[in-house]
Amino acid sequence: MKALTANRLSDGEVVFWKAGAWVERLADADVFAAEDMAATAETSARAQPTVAIDPYLIDLVETAGFWTPVSYRERIRALGPSNHERHGKQADGGDAVEALRHAHGAARSSGRVNLIRRK
């Protein structure tokens, strides 16, 4: 499963794609099972260059009944900022936020694994 994410240009907020528009919560985002549907959404998002910058697809896994990013980096972005639990999206609380906090997975998404080579 995949979701589409980017940063909103007006304030830098992490946003997610839903039905042709950007939303702030991952729990509200469209989840794509098919690669062609995800690619179509990404193309549509890139057609809105004045709203959000550099949209890209992220891998998701189901955790506690919610979709959460596989990548630790993307989990931080979905909760962010991470400087204090009373700041950002995590301050709202709820089941979706708890699922993000307790999710497990790879340090990097599958599409970016080869970017860093460890010795």
Side-chain angles (χ1 to χ4, degrees):
M1 301 302 247
K2 295 192 179 288
L4 187 62
T5 187
N7 287 87
R8 191 168 45 212
L9 284 172
S10 63
D11 59 3
E13 184 71 32
V14 175
V15 291
F16 302 92
W17 189 253
K18 179 180 177 116
W22 295 104
V23 296
E24 292 186 3
R25 307 270 178 247
L26 175 60
D28 298 332
D30 287 338
V31 176
F32 305 102
E35 286 289 329
D36 59 334
M37 292 176 66
T40 300
E42 187 174 13
T43 300
S44 297
R46 289 186 183 280
Q48 298 181 6
T50 60
V51 178
I53 186 91
D54 196 24
Y56 61 94
L57 294 166
I58 59 173
D59 296 318
L60 302 175
V61 64
E62 191 172 359
T63 303
F66 294 93
W67 292 107
T68 60
V70 171
S71 165
Y72 183 67
R73 174 186 187 265
E74 296 304 332
R75 290 194 300 267
I76 290 172
R77 289 182 75 240
L79 286 171
S82 61
N83 60 337
H84 197 281
E85 63 186 25
R86 291 189 308 237
H87 294 169
K89 297 171 187 170
Q90 61 193 333
D92 294 340
D95 293 338
V97 169
E98 288 306 311
L100 279 165
R101 283 186 180 153
H102 299 348
H104 297 284
R108 297 179 292 279
S109 65
S110 61
R112 298 169 191 251
V113 169
N114 291 326
L115 292 178
I116 301 172
R117 297 200 185 271
R118 296 180 185 208
K119 295 183 179 195

